[in-house]
Amino acid sequence: MNPLHLYINPHSPPTKNTNTNTHTTKVLTTKTLIMPCEPTMTPQIISKSTVYPDTKSTLSDLKLSTSDLPMLSCHYIQKGNLFVRPPVPISDLIALLRQRLSIVLTHFPPLAGRLITDTNGYVYITCNDAGAQFIHANATHVTISDIISPIHVPGCVKGFFAYSGMVSYAGHFNPLLAVQVTELDDGVFLGFSVNHAVVDGTSLWNFINTFAEVCRGVKLVTKEPCFTRESVLISREVLKLPAGGPTVTFDNHAPLSERIFSFSRESILKLKHTVNNQKKINFYENEKNTNPSKILNGNVTTLINSLLQNRNSVVTKSESLPEISSFQSLCALLWRAVTRARKFPSTKTTTFRMAVNCRHRLEPKLENFYFGNAIQSIPTYATAGDVLSNDLHWCAELLNRHVLSHNDIMVRSYVHNWEQDPRCFPLGNFDGGMLTMGSSPRFPMYDNDFGWGKPVAVRSGGANKFDGKISAFPGRGGGGSVDLEVVLSPETMAELEMDLEFMQYVSRECC
C-alpha cells in the first residue's frame, strides 16, 4: 500500500531538505548574506497546475447574496497554517495534497468554478469544474523560527500566498481558489487564497478542515457544506459595477506594522473578571456622545439607535445585562489602547466594527455550514473622550449591547438598507479613527491535521490590510487563549506596544 495513504505518524522525525536542484543550492549557499525572511525574498515557484474535481459537479449556479456581493471589491482571503516538515519526501507530499484536493473539490464544487454575470446584471458562481490552482513553492532559506520568533510579522509571509492584490471580482477570469504549498528549511506552509465573494471565515475553515480530513484518509466527510440559496440574503436587486470591475477602497501601499499579540487563557479570564466587576455605568447616561444616528447619517445607523431605544424600553435600567464575554472584554481593551495610541482629541469619533455571523441570527436559521458569506459588520461609535474617560466595562458593555441587538430584525434591516443602495463594502479606515475586527477565535484553525500533526501557527497574507485591521485567531494552546493579529500605522503600533493597560495582559510567548 502507498504509505501516503496512511496516517503519517506525527512523532516521526521531520525529513531533511534533500532538494539538490541547482537553483535551490544557490539560495542555500547565499543564506548568510541576507536576512532569511526579508520581504523581497519571495519563494521560488517550482510548479503550477490546475486541479479538477474528482467527480463532475451537478450543482446549479449559485446566486451571490447581499453578503457576497459587497465583497467583490475586497481582496481574496489569504489564510494559512505553518507546520513542521513531514516525515516524507516533499515530492510525495505534493502528490498527496494535489490528489486529495481533487477529492475535496467534489464536496465544494463552487471552489472549482468561476464567477459569471448574466445579462440582467446578477452575479453567480458557476460550478463548471474549471478547477483550482495548485502551487508548489520553495523557500528553504526560511525556518519556522524565522516566521514565529520576530516580534513583528516578517514580510516574507506574504510570499506564501497566491493572488496577492487580486480583488474578488477577478474571479470572473481566475480560479476562485489557490492552494500554495511552500517548503521551508524545517517546515511547510499551506497557504489558501479564496475569493471573498464566495466564502466567509466559517466556509473557508470548514473547507480547510475537510481538506485535512480527506488527506488523513477519512472516507465520510463530517461537515458537508450547505449550498441552499433560500433565504432573505438572496435579493432581486442588482449591484451595478464600474467597467472593469471595482477596486479596493483603502490605500494598498500605506506603510503598516503587523504584530501577533497573544493572550493566554489565564490572562483573558483575569481581564474578563476585571471587566465584569467594574462599576456598572448606565449605557444611556452618555447617549449624547454615543448615539449612532447623531454621529453618522444613514438608514442602518438610525435604525440601530431606534432598536436599541426600543430594547431599553423593555429592559429596565435596574436589570443587569448578561455577562460580558471574554472576547468583548478583549475588544474593549484594544479599543481603549489604540484610541490612546492615536492621540485623538476628546471630541474625535472612533468606530469599532465587528463582523458577526448571521447564520444563527436569522429566523429561520441558516445551516451551520451554509456555504458563502453570511456576515454583517456591526459598527459601534463613541468619542475618544468617552472611550478613555470611562472604564473597560463601559466600552465592553457598549460592544455587548450592539452584538445582542443584532437579531433577525436587524439582519433583515441591513439587507433592506443594502437593497436601497446596492454597493460594495467600504473596507478601510476612512477617518483615521476606525478599528475593524475580522475572523474569530472560534474558528477551528488548529484542527487542520493533514496527517503529520497539527499546525505550529496561523498566519495571513497581505490581503485586506490597512491601519486598524484586526483579525482574531484561537491561540495555539487552546483552552480559550486568543491571538490578535493587529495591523496599524508604525507610529500607532509603537505607542500601543508601550501601553501599560494593554500590555499587562499580553503573553510573552506567541506564535
Side-chain angles (χ1 to χ4, degrees), residues 187-392:
V188 171
F189 193 94
L190 301 188
F192 298 87
S193 302
V194 192
N195 193 292
H196 207 339
V198 175
V199 299
D200 60 8
T202 299
S203 296
L204 170 63
W205 289 105
N206 186 37
F207 163 72
I208 299 174
N209 290 167
T210 304
F211 186 17
E213 277 189 334
V214 172
C215 285
R216 294 198 310 270
V218 173
K219 300 299 182 183
L220 185 63
V221 171
T222 58
K223 298 173 182 176
E224 287 282 0
C226 172
F227 300 110
T228 181
R229 287 301 184 263
E230 303 291 331
S231 82
V232 68
L233 299 180
I234 304 301
S235 175
R236 295 180 179 180
E237 299 301 321
V238 174
L239 173 62
K240 296 180 180 179
L241 297 167
T247 58
V248 293
T249 54
F250 56 90
D251 184 355
N252 201 27
H253 304 288
L256 298 171
S257 182
E258 180 178 344
R259 177 171 173 175
I260 307 288
F261 292 96
S262 293
F263 301 84
S264 68
R265 178 179 184 273
E266 293 73 22
S267 180
I268 288 178
L269 288 177
K270 177 183 175 182
L271 172 63
K272 180 180 178 181
H273 180 268
T274 298
V275 168
N276 281 286
N277 287 277
Q278 286 178 335
K279 180 183 177 182
K280 305 298 187 292
I281 297 176
N282 190 309
F283 176 85
Y284 291 96
E285 286 177 353
N286 291 280
E287 186 178 25
K288 63 180 180 295
N289 291 324
T290 59
N291 185 333
S293 65
K294 293 180 182 178
I295 294 173
L296 292 179
N297 293 322
N299 294 336
V300 168
T301 50
T302 303
L303 183 56
I304 289 174
N305 182 57
S306 175
L307 288 174
L308 286 174
Q309 288 177 328
N310 291 337
R311 176 186 177 88
N312 195 46
S313 67
V314 176
V315 180
T316 66
K317 293 182 181 180
S318 62
E319 292 177 338
S320 61
L321 283 170
E323 184 180 51
I324 292 170
S325 71
S326 300
F327 188 60
Q328 289 162 0
S329 300
L330 191 57
C331 289
L333 179 73
L334 181 68
W335 191 7
R336 277 170 55 87
V338 173
T339 300
R340 259 192 306 270
R342 286 173 168 168
K343 302 183 184 302
F344 290 141
S346 61
T347 56
K348 170 68 176 178
T349 299
T350 69
T351 307
F352 195 105
R353 283 189 170 273
M354 300 178 71
V356 298
N357 185 354
C358 298
R359 288 169 174 81
H360 63 285
R361 299 175 189 274
L362 278 168
E363 295 295 343
K365 294 178 174 59
L366 295 177
E367 293 290 335
N368 289 339
F369 297 104
Y370 166 87
F371 185 87
N373 288 277
I375 54 175
Q376 290 177 344
S377 180
I378 301 177
T380 301
Y381 307 102
T383 64
D386 278 340
V387 170
L388 297 180
S389 64
N390 290 298
D391 58 15
L392 276 171

Side-chain angles (χ1 to χ4, degrees), residues 70-111:
M71 301 301 179
L72 287 170
S73 64
C74 296
H75 290 145
Y76 274 51
I77 300 176
Q78 294 180 323
K79 294 289 189 292
N81 286 132
L82 174 65
F83 298 87
V84 298
R85 198 175 180 92
V88 294
I90 194 69
S91 58
D92 292 349
L93 176 67
I94 294 299
L96 170 70
L97 293 172
R98 185 185 288 117
Q99 189 261 339
R100 296 304 168 92
L101 177 59
S102 177
I103 294 173
V104 78
L105 285 174
T106 65
H107 298 276
F108 293 82
L111 294 180

Side-chain angles (χ1 to χ4, degrees), residues 135-211:
I135 302 165
H136 172 202
N138 181 292
T140 50
H141 57 286
V142 177
T143 67
I144 289 175
S145 180
D146 291 332
I147 298 169
I148 67 175
S149 294
I151 293 176
H152 295 147
V153 178
C156 66
V157 172
K158 296 181 177 67
F160 300 158
F161 298 89
Y163 299 160
S164 293
M166 183 178 290
V167 296
S168 292
Y169 180 84
H172 284 82
F173 326 108
N174 294 277
L176 303 181
L177 165 68
V179 179
Q180 180 172 320
V181 184
T182 305
E183 54 177 312
L184 311 175
D185 178 66
D186 55 352
V188 171
F189 193 94
L190 301 188
F192 298 87
S193 302
V194 192
N195 193 292
H196 207 339
V198 175
V199 299
D200 60 8
T202 299
S203 296
L204 170 63
W205 289 105
N206 186 37
F207 163 72
I208 299 174
N209 290 167
T210 304
F211 186 17

Side-chain angles (χ1 to χ4, degrees), residues 13-27:
T15 58
K16 297 292 184 181
N17 174 37
T18 57
N19 194 330
T20 57
N21 70 69
T22 303
H23 190 94
T24 301
T25 302
K26 182 177 179 181
V27 172

Side-chain angles (χ1 to χ4, degrees), residues 413-430:
S413 74
Y414 269 53
V415 172
H416 175 75
N417 181 263
W418 184 88
E419 289 177 327
Q420 302 307 302
D421 180 23
R423 57 179 181 147
C424 288
F425 183 66
L427 191 64
N429 183 2
F430 305 108

